[in-house]
Amino acid sequence: MRTKEEQLAAFEAIYKGLNAQQQIAVDTIEGPVMVIAGPGTGKTQILSARIGKIMLETDTAPENILCLTYTDAGAIAMRKRLVQFIGTSAYKVNISTFHSFCNDIIQDNLSLFDKTSLDPISELEKIELFKKLIDGFGKENPLKRYRGDVYYEISNLSKLFSAMKKEGWSVPYLVERINRYILEIPTREAFLYKRKTKQFEAGSIKQALVDAEMEKMEKLKAAVQEFDNYQQLMRDHNRYDFDDMINWVIKAFKENKNLLAQYQERFLYILVDEFQDTSGTQNELVELLVNYWEQPNLFVVGDD
């Protein structure tokens, strides 16, 4: 175990290795800070150094610091760096991915979530549920196939539903946006002839392109409208995926102000790594946590 002097020396070594702008970011402990940095510029070092600075220069307990990373590997790398200059306290700092953070909240408040009988879905189970969903398509559904691979749309549906969960897009919201786009298709430049030809005047509609795009949008709308049916199948089989967890926590925070306040008051400093990769729901989660403070101590690092 390192002595206090050795920990301080380790911190100074990392701090001196930062450039002037990085040092300013580390030194600005209070208030919101955004650091824009490209790949390989030491983003993990900046985050580690900032946590070290908070721990060494304030009386903040490690339990009051939350660092959200994009991957488990990022969380492990961060903790390893922290151990060098704050010792075993590094294991008390909340460093986790968004999903594991939300899972911890659910596990700590099971009575509020009523999820004791649910298990995460496996890839094999997910495919089986999508097959059930597709088997239930009506004859008029544009996604219904009678020849070839009848389950061709599984991959597309999986990506769509995952995006909807990650961005917090509801079915009515997407249907409204799709309908609006369909109305605009005949007036968009991409679907109009720019120059006069033997057959068409400039500004005439490229009907074949319009028809193809209309068909594509009708399929997309049909897919969006199957989202609730898929979620019901998940519930019927007592399953959930990682994207569901973030949405559950956001819903619980909005409906239970005491639960939200408990976490808002606990985390005095919040840091987010790889901020450019955060989804709409991840951003919403961060916003809920920091809304409690007039000038939140929110520190985000990302690539422009």
Side-chain angles (χ1 to χ4, degrees):
M1 184 181 289
R2 293 187 174 198
T3 64
K4 198 74 175 173
E5 290 73 22
E6 287 173 331
Q7 290 173 8
L8 196 56
F11 171 77
E12 287 298 328
I14 287 181
Y15 183 79
K16 286 176 182 175
L18 302 175
N19 63 37
Q21 289 299 309
Q22 290 172 329
Q23 288 181 355
I24 291 170
V26 169
D27 292 339
T28 311
I29 292 177
E30 304 301 318
V33 177
M34 176 183 282
V35 176
I36 299 174
T41 53
K43 294 195 287 285
T44 305
Q45 262 189 324
I46 297 172
L47 284 160
S48 304
R50 182 179 169 84
I51 294 171
K53 187 88 170 178
I54 294 166
M55 291 292 297
L56 293 168
E57 296 195 1
T58 74
D59 59 358
T60 303
E63 296 91 343
N64 297 135
I65 299 171
L66 171 64
C67 182
L68 295 166
T69 65
Y70 198 65
T71 63
D72 289 321
I76 292 167
M78 184 84 60
R79 205 176 297 281
K80 278 184 178 177
R81 288 182 184 274
L82 276 179
V83 169
Q84 295 173 15
F85 45 81
I86 63 172
T88 55
S89 293
Y91 294 101
K92 296 180 182 178
V93 177
N94 298 276
I95 305 172
S96 63
T97 63
F98 279 91
H99 292 116
S100 60
F101 173 64
C102 288
N103 190 45
D104 286 344
I105 293 174
I106 292 168
Q107 294 304 318
D108 290 342
N109 302 275
L110 283 173
S111 60
L112 290 176
F113 287 91
D114 192 27
K115 306 296 181 188
T116 51
S117 62
L118 288 181
D119 292 310
I121 193 168
S122 68
E123 283 303 310
L124 201 58
E125 288 174 321
K126 188 181 285 188
I127 290 169
E128 289 305 312
L129 285 195
F130 273 115
K131 284 183 176 179
K132 276 194 174 186
L133 181 73
I134 290 169
D135 288 343
F137 286 172
K139 291 180 180 179
E140 304 303 316
N141 192 315
L143 300 173
K144 183 81 171 178
R145 285 169 172 255
Y146 294 97
R147 297 178 184 176
D149 181 5
V150 294
Y151 301 120
Y152 175 82
E153 297 293 350
I154 284 179
S155 177
N156 291 330
L157 288 167
S158 180
K159 289 174 186 174
L160 172 65
F161 294 169
S162 178
M164 288 174 70
K165 293 179 185 183
K166 285 175 180 173
E167 300 303 331
W169 295 331
S170 68
V171 173
Y173 168 78
L174 281 184
V175 168
E176 188 273 328
R177 294 297 293 261
I178 293 167
N179 286 337
R180 192 193 308 173
Y181 175 68
I182 287 173
L183 290 174
E184 293 172 357
I185 288 174
T187 63
R188 285 179 170 250
E189 281 189 22
F191 301 99
L192 301 174
Y193 287 98
K194 292 181 181 177
R195 296 179 182 176
K196 187 179 185 304
T197 67
K198 287 182 179 179
Q199 290 179 293
F200 302 100
E201 295 291 326
S204 296
I205 295 173
K206 298 178 181 179
Q207 195 59 51
L209 271 184
V210 168
D211 292 344
E213 189 70 2
M214 290 282 195
E215 183 182 352
K216 183 179 170 184
M217 287 302 107
E218 289 300 333
K219 282 186 176 180
L220 177 59
K221 186 160 58 170
V224 166
Q225 289 171 322
E226 292 296 333
F227 177 77
D228 291 337
N229 293 332
Y230 176 72
Q231 287 298 92
Q232 186 60 52
L233 279 173
M234 292 267 279
R235 286 191 291 272
D236 292 345
H237 289 77
N238 293 320
R239 292 293 181 267
Y240 69 89
D241 61 29
F242 287 125
D243 296 321
D244 286 319
M245 289 194 298
I246 295 178
N247 285 296
W248 287 346
V249 171
I250 287 172
K251 186 172 183 287
F253 276 171
K254 287 180 175 178
E255 292 177 354
N256 192 322
K257 299 302 178 187
N258 289 334
L259 177 70
L260 175 58
Q262 176 187 330
Y263 288 93
Q264 287 175 326
E265 292 172 16
R266 180 186 302 179
F267 300 121
L268 305 180
Y269 292 90
I270 297 177
L271 304 93
V272 184
D273 194 12
E274 302 293 355
F275 190 62
Q276 77 283 349
D277 291 327
T278 52
S279 66
T281 51
Q282 289 169 339
N283 277 324
E284 188 174 1
L285 183 67
V286 173
E287 285 175 8
L288 285 167
L289 289 170
V290 301
N291 279 346
Y292 180 79
W293 305 99
E294 193 72 33
Q295 283 289 309
N297 297 322
L298 174 63
F299 187 86
V300 299
V301 180
D303 190 327
D304 62 349

